[in-house]
Amino acid sequence: MNMKRAPLILWILASCTVADTSSDLLDRMPPDVPESWLPIIGEYASGSDTVSVLEEDESLVLLFWGGARFPLSASSDGDFETDSNAVVEMVADASGRAEILLVDGQAFSRLSLGAEDGGTFRITPIRAPEELLIEALAASPPEEEGDFRPADLAELVALDSTILLDIRYATRNNFMGEMFYSEPRAFLQRPAAEALVRAHHWLGERGYGLLIHDGYRPWYVTKMFWDATPEELRVFVANPANGSRHNRGCAVDLTLYDLETGTPVTMTGGYDEMSPRSYPDYAGGTARQRWHRELLREAMEAQSFTVYEAEWWHFDYNDWPSYRIGNERFEELGMG
């Protein structure tokens, strides 16, 4: 998906950067957090006040979205204390996960920001997907003037078979719960595809590979996303009147996988999640999650990709204005 803007509250948290993620630090993966900390890490709200509990430098931190931050230390009775002597108590559910934080008696309830515990973020489409498909296929992309390069879409796995695919829009495991692609395939314009392979090889030297969620996206799918999304959430999807960089074959949605285990790494938030956790500079989560996010960003930016300002997983190739909006379906593209 694409966001064009976002409510101010999202920018507040995203701007509260917490750790130096310069290149020298990317050589040192932070240790994982103690299991006992995981139930309290998250976001909580009390009226207009919102806080996050995150991990930084092997310590827990209480971060107020307005900017104030306090280290948390465990007390003898199992609660936590800040360096200002405020007491932070955790009220857990049956699974042991914190649902309420009491900060000096003020109750903060856990916020559900989207995909919890590895689940998939969902919306309720405002129109039937079957109806939208008929309309979208009958419509035409916006006309564009200019001198564009001819399309040369390359299939990523044909260039390197160790690139993994998890094409959510070819399944029902996506934000709308509908299938949009007839085949689980990923394409990019050839210069972008070759640059992505170079990023994949660089990551391979560090024990990681690329897992692709989406590449080239036909325009008619962008129109379906827009027409199905409630108006208050349309900041998270591209307007078909303008098209998207996915339509030009120069945008890719992706994450990292561990070469040893073959499993995706855990990031600060889930793919296509409409929440502050999607921001590339989101301050919450754990140091290791943020480290993985920055490792992905360094690999892609070194190959002329730019991270999208509101989605840690979305990268645009710098040559995207050179290509026209495309609308070919996957089954029309052939192989290679």
Side-chain angles (χ1 to χ4, degrees), residues 2 11 18 23 28 73-74 76 81 85 89 91 133 144 185 248 275 278 291 309 321:
N2 280 14
W11 291 108
V18 297
S23 296
R28 305 193 300 273
S73 56
S76 58
E81 295 177 348
N85 297 320
E89 302 174 71
V91 180
L133 176 61
E144 298 180 287
R185 303 170 72 184
R248 301 178 191 275
S275 91
S278 298
W291 183 88
E309 63 188 10

Side-chain angles (χ1 to χ4, degrees), residues 218-255:
W219 176 85
Y220 78 89
V221 175
T222 294
K223 178 169 172 56
M224 291 181 68
F225 287 174
W226 178 264
D227 292 341
T229 300
E231 186 172 353
E232 66 272 16
L233 294 178
R234 281 184 173 172
V235 296
F236 290 87
V237 292
N239 189 333
N242 306 316
S244 81
R245 294 168 193 181
H246 279 289
N247 302 152
R248 301 178 191 275
C250 287
V252 61
D253 295 344
L254 76 177
T255 189

Side-chain angles (χ1 to χ4, degrees), residues 11-259:
W11 291 108
I12 292 174
L13 182 59
S15 67
C16 298
T17 52
V18 297
D20 181 0
T21 52
S22 56
S23 296
D24 58 330
L25 288 184
L26 289 179
D27 291 330
R28 305 193 300 273
M29 182 173 65
D32 212 349
V33 299
E35 288 287 334
S36 60
W37 291 3
L38 294 177
I40 197 173
I41 292 175
E43 298 75 28
Y44 305 83
S46 175
S48 60
D49 296 329
T50 307
V51 300
S52 291
V53 176
L54 57 99
E55 182 258 339
E56 173 188 340
D57 296 332
E58 301 182 52
S59 300
L60 285 175
V61 173
L62 178 68
L63 172 68
F64 284 80
W65 285 22
R69 53 189 297 111
F70 303 93
L72 288 178
S73 56
S75 61
S76 58
D77 58 4
D79 295 325
F80 295 87
E81 295 177 348
T82 71
D83 54 5
S84 62
N85 297 320
V87 176
V88 179
E89 302 174 71
M90 183 180 88
V91 180
D93 60 17
S95 68
R97 182 169 177 262
E99 287 300 313
I100 296 175
L101 284 188
L102 297 174
V103 182
D104 267 357
Q106 182 179 359
F108 288 79
S109 299
R110 181 182 285 273
L111 287 175
S112 177
L113 294 179
E116 304 295 338
D117 300 323
T120 300
F121 182 91
R122 304 279 190 182
I123 69 166
T124 301
I126 59 176
R127 296 179 59 194
E130 297 83 1
E131 173 186 329
L132 296 177
L133 176 61
I134 295 172
E135 288 186 10
L137 290 176
S140 298
E143 294 187 7
E144 298 180 287
E145 296 182 358
D147 185 17
F148 295 98
R149 298 176 64 178
D152 183 17
L153 291 170
E155 190 155 18
L156 298 181
V157 295
L159 298 183
D160 191 318
S161 61
T162 63
I163 293 173
L164 299 187
L165 302 182
D166 178 14
I167 308 301
R168 301 287 183 88
Y169 301 138
T171 73
R172 298 189 185 277
N173 183 28
N174 56 63
F175 77 107
M176 280 178 53
E178 297 290 338
M179 294 180 63
F180 296 93
Y181 300 158
S182 59
E183 303 168 332
R185 303 170 72 184
F187 304 83
L188 288 177
Q189 301 293 351
R190 191 167 299 275
E194 292 172 348
L196 183 137
V197 170
R198 291 194 294 271
H200 177 66
H201 291 169
W202 182 87
L203 287 163
E205 297 173 358
R206 291 153 179 82
Y208 297 94
L210 291 175
L211 172 67
I212 310 300
H213 290 308
D214 198 23
Y216 162 72
R217 180 184 304 158
W219 176 85
Y220 78 89
V221 175
T222 294
K223 178 169 172 56
M224 291 181 68
F225 287 174
W226 178 264
D227 292 341
T229 300
E231 186 172 353
E232 66 272 16
L233 294 178
R234 281 184 173 172
V235 296
F236 290 87
V237 292
N239 189 333
N242 306 316
S244 81
R245 294 168 193 181
H246 279 289
N247 302 152
R248 301 178 191 275
C250 287
V252 61
D253 295 344
L254 76 177
T255 189
L256 299 176
Y257 77 91
D258 186 293
L259 287 181

